[in-house]
């Protein structure tokens, strides 16, 4: 085909014709949307299209298509184009097959005058007539090219199944290993729990016995202290009584000593009188011997002196008897003082014994307090060990819960695919909520799904609810988090409210209201 020339600054018209693979002209399709993209250099392009029956930058003429390059802003260079068709094909996801036909137009945009020939090109587009190919229409190379996606898909499927088998085997091995570890941990936890319970019971028994022994020793010490206090009180009373008797005996001894001193003085006086009388008697006897002649007078004096002597002797005897009586009373007082001293010594010994008993009771009380402190320390240590055992038990429980969660996650199932349910069209303003539902296969696998929308026509909430935004079409990716390679891409169209019809008749609801889509 000869090269045509077109001034790149000028507006121009390009006639596009459609032919089949044999080169035979076919009419412009009226039921297939298409897009024509033109460029000379990448980064700048011009687009003509028909979408929803609306033509942009082009118009049909007969069986051809006129493309109007108005303010196209294309640079100098060879003009290329690409036809993009969106064909209805239920074999493809979303029911749409995208087909592209790139080609060179043999048209050169330059800065010189344009050729006088009309610009035109022929597009291979047998699919636009909606006629199905037969096997004989294709060459072996085309057949191989057409089969290549299916073969590649089969290869990818085989590879995916092989990877799945490998991963499934690995997961089964991990599950078995986790189960073995879990059984070991459960057994270890059981034995450690039994040992811990035995230790806690033993420690509790020891603490209880120590507390009971301390209570018994404390009670014995209290009883001993009470008895010692009572004995000390009794000894104190006996000592008080002995002291009173000693004081009485001391007073009696003092009185007897005073009386003995008085009697001694009286005896001394009587002795002095007797000595005087004896001297006088001796003098009288001497006078009698010397005055024998005057016997009568002297005899009378002698009798008088003898009477006085006898009187003195009687007085001396009386004084002697009184002294003896006083000495007896003094001896009795001394005896009473001795008894009082013995009673005081006994009271002192009793007081000393009571003090010793009190000291013994105090020592027993201190020993009981030490035992009680020891028992308290043992109880505190047992409580600390019990607290440590409780913490260890909680840590083991947390480990077991994590292992159980891992085992549940592993045994939940390996995703092998996904099914998606979604309305193809949603109506603006429809109060009934519409949802995209993704279900991971097998159903035993974790049903965690993400919804990602391009946000042009609709948004999709995390629970799958479709939120219409504007008229148009949005692509939504439905992705299982545990198997992202099984994601699905769907298209959701948003339309304005329309009157629902049955043939050429409007449909009404039970109340006679117009039904909208």
């Amino acid at each position: 085909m000869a090269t045509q020339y077109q001034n790149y600054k000028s507006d121009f018209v390009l006639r596009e014709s459609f032919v089949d693979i044999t080169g035979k002209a076919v009419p412009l399709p009226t039921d297939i949307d298409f897009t024509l993209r033109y460029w000379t250099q990448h980064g700048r392009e011009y687009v003509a299209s028909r979408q929803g029956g609306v033509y942009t930058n082009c118009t049909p003429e007969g069986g051809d298509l006129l493309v109007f390059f108005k303010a196209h802003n294309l640079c100098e260079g060879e003009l290329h184009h690409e036809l993009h068709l969106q064909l209805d094909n239920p074999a493809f996801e979303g029911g749409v097959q995208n087909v592209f036909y790139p080609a060179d137009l043999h048209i050169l945009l330059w800065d010189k005058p344009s050729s006088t020939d009309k610009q035109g090109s022929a597009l291979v587009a047998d699919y636009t007539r909606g006629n199905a190919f037969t096997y004989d229409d294709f060459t072996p190379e085309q057949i191989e090219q057409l089969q290549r996606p299916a073969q590649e898909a089969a290869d990818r499927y085989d590879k995916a199944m092989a990877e799945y088998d490998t991963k499934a085997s690995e997961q089964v091995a991990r599950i078995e290993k986790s189960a073995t570890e879990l059984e070991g941990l459960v057994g270890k936890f059981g034995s450690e729990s039994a040992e811990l319970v035995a230790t806690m019971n033993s420690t509790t028994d020891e603490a209880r016995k120590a507390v009971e022994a301390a209570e018994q020793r404390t009670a014995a010490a209290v009883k001993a202290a009470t008895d010692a206090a009572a004995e000390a009180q009794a000894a104190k009373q006996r000592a008080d009584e002995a002291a009173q008797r000693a004081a009485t005996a001391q007073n009696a001894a003092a009185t007897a000593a005073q009386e003995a001193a008085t009697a001694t003085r009286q005896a001394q006086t009587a002795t002095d009188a007797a000595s005087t009388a004896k001297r006088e008697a001796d003098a009288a006897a001497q006078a009698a011997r010397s005055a024998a002649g005057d016997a009568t007078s002297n005899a009378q004096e002698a009798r008088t002196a003898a009477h006085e002597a006898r009187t003195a002797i009687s007085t001396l005897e009386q004084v002697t008897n009184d002294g003896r009586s006083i000495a007896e009373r003094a001896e009795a007082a001394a005896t009473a003082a001795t008894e009082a001293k013995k009673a005081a010594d006994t009271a002192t010994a009793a007081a000393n014994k009571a003090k010793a008993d009190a000291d013994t009771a105090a020592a027993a009380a201190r020993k009981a307090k030490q035992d009680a402190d020891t028992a308290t320390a043992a109880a505190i240590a047992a409580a600390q060990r019990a607290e440590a055992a409780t913490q260890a038990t909680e840590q083991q429980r947390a480990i077991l819960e994590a292992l159980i969660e891992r085992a549940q996650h592993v045994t939940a199932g390996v995703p092998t695919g996904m099914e998606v349910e979604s309305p193809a069209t949603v109506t603006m303003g429809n109060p009934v909520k519409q949802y995209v539902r993704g279900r991971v296969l097998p159903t035993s696998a974790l049903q965690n799904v993400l919804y990602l929308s391009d946000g042009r026509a609709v948004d999709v909430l995390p629970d799958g609810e479709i939120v219409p935004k504007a008229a148009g079409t949005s692509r939504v990716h439905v992705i299982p988090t545990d198997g992202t390679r099984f994601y699905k891409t769907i298209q959701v169209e948003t339309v304005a409210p329309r009157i629902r019809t049955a043939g050429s008749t409007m449909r009404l609801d039970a109340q006679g209201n117009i039904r909208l889509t």
Side-chain angles (χ1 to χ4, degrees):
M1 180 181 292
T3 300
Q4 299 174 330
Y5 298 93
Q6 174 64 46
N7 183 272
Y8 78 98
K9 297 180 181 180
S10 303
D11 296 336
F12 62 96
V13 178
L14 175 65
R15 178 181 294 273
E16 294 280 11
S17 301
F18 294 87
V19 297
D20 59 17
I21 59 175
T22 64
K24 180 182 178 181
V26 295
L28 177 69
T30 59
D31 56 348
I32 301 297
D33 289 338
F34 60 85
T35 300
L36 280 167
R37 187 170 62 91
Y38 299 88
W39 73 94
T40 57
Q41 297 179 4
H42 288 289
R44 293 186 180 184
E45 63 180 26
Y46 189 76
V47 176
S49 65
R50 186 186 69 184
Q51 298 293 331
V54 177
Y55 290 88
T56 303
N57 294 330
C58 61
T59 185
E61 184 181 75
D64 298 334
L65 179 71
L66 299 181
V67 180
F68 301 99
F69 287 80
K70 175 68 176 178
H72 50 79
N73 201 29
L74 295 175
C75 300
E76 297 178 74
E78 185 177 359
L79 185 63
H80 308 275
H81 73 165
E82 179 184 69
L83 173 63
H84 174 204
L85 299 178
Q86 292 179 316
L87 306 178
D88 293 331
N89 192 337
F92 289 87
E93 183 178 342
V96 175
Q97 178 184 4
N98 293 294
V99 181
F100 294 86
Y101 297 95
D104 296 331
L105 294 176
H106 301 286
I107 298 176
L108 182 65
L109 300 186
W110 63 351
D111 58 351
K112 297 178 177 56
S114 303
S115 301
T116 57
D117 298 334
K118 294 182 179 179
Q119 311 299 337
S121 71
L123 293 170
V124 178
D126 184 73
Y127 275 140
T128 58
R129 295 187 293 114
N131 298 330
F133 281 119
T134 64
Y135 188 81
D136 296 334
D137 292 332
F138 298 95
T139 65
E141 292 78 10
Q142 291 174 332
I143 293 174
E144 181 181 0
Q145 183 179 3
L146 293 173
Q147 289 177 344
R148 185 177 298 119
Q151 184 63 40
E152 292 176 352
D155 294 339
R156 288 195 300 272
Y157 175 78
D158 293 338
K159 182 179 179 181
M161 288 303 297
E163 292 178 354
Y164 168 75
D165 292 338
T166 302
K167 292 183 178 179
S169 300
E170 293 175 354
Q171 287 188 347
V172 169
R174 286 197 297 271
I175 291 171
E176 293 176 351
K177 182 179 178 181
S178 299
T180 302
E181 293 177 354
L182 183 60
E183 291 176 357
L185 287 175
V186 169
K188 182 180 178 182
F189 176 73
S191 61
E192 290 180 355
S193 298
E195 293 176 359
L196 180 61
V197 170
T199 302
M200 291 175 64
N201 292 335
S202 175
T203 304
T204 304
D205 292 339
E206 292 176 359
R208 184 171 60 252
K209 291 179 181 179
V211 171
E212 291 176 355
E215 290 177 350
Q216 292 175 359
R217 287 194 292 271
T218 302
V222 171
K223 185 176 183 301
T226 303
D227 295 342
E231 184 64 26
Q233 184 65 27
K236 180 177 180 301
Q237 292 178 355
R238 290 195 296 272
D240 291 341
E241 291 175 357
Q244 291 177 358
R245 288 196 298 271
T248 302
Q250 185 179 3
N251 292 333
T255 302
Q258 290 177 358
E259 291 178 354
T262 302
T264 300
R265 286 194 301 272
Q266 291 176 355
Q268 185 64 38
T269 301
T271 301
D272 293 341
S275 298
T276 301
K278 184 178 180 301
R279 286 192 303 271
E280 290 177 354
D282 290 337
Q286 184 66 32
R289 283 189 303 269
S290 61
D294 198 2
T296 303
S297 57
N298 290 335
Q300 185 61 37
E301 291 177 357
R303 285 192 296 274
T304 302
H307 179 70
E308 291 178 352
R310 285 192 299 273
T311 301
I313 291 169
S314 297
T315 302
L316 179 59
E317 291 176 352
Q318 183 64 38
V319 169
T320 301
N321 292 331
D322 290 341
R324 187 179 296 111
S325 176
I326 291 169
E328 290 176 354
R329 288 197 297 273
E331 185 178 356
T335 302
T338 301
E339 292 295 331
K341 181 177 181 301
K342 290 180 179 179
D345 293 338
T346 302
T348 301
N352 292 332
K353 184 177 183 302
K355 181 177 180 301
D357 292 340
D359 292 339
T360 301
R366 287 193 297 273
K367 181 67 168 58
K369 182 178 182 301
Q370 292 176 356
D371 293 340
D373 293 339
T374 302
T376 301
I380 292 173
Q384 291 175 349
R385 288 195 296 272
E387 180 65 22
T390 301
Q391 294 178 357
T393 302
E394 291 298 329
Q395 293 175 356
Q396 292 293 334
R397 181 181 292 109
I399 293 173
L400 286 176
E401 289 177 353
L403 285 175
I404 291 171
E405 184 177 357
R406 278 184 52 199
Q408 290 177 347
H409 180 75
V410 171
T411 57
V414 180
T416 60
M418 188 177 66
E419 295 180 349
V420 178
E421 296 179 358
S422 173
T425 304
V426 294
T427 303
M428 298 288 294
N430 188 351
V432 179
K433 295 181 179 181
Q434 303 291 329
Y435 291 87
V436 178
R437 302 294 188 186
R439 184 175 63 175
V440 182
L441 300 176
T443 56
S444 60
L446 292 178
Q447 300 295 317
N448 294 335
V449 179
L450 295 178
Y451 301 98
L452 300 180
S453 171
D454 59 14
R456 296 176 181 175
V458 299
D459 280 335
V460 180
L461 300 182
D463 62 350
E465 180 184 347
I466 300 173
V467 181
K469 296 177 61 178
T473 303
S474 281
R475 286 160 52 93
V476 179
H477 300 293
V478 185
I479 307 170
T481 58
D482 282 355
T484 56
R485 66 179 181 276
F486 299 113
Y487 78 95
K488 300 288 186 181
T489 301
I490 62 173
Q491 290 187 338
V492 180
E493 182 183 7
T494 302
V495 298
R498 293 173 295 183
I499 297 176
R500 299 184 64 179
T501 61
S504 60
T505 305
M506 289 190 303
R507 296 185 61 182
L508 305 178
D509 59 16
Q511 288 75 32
N513 298 319
I514 297 175
R515 299 185 65 177
L516 301 177
T517 58

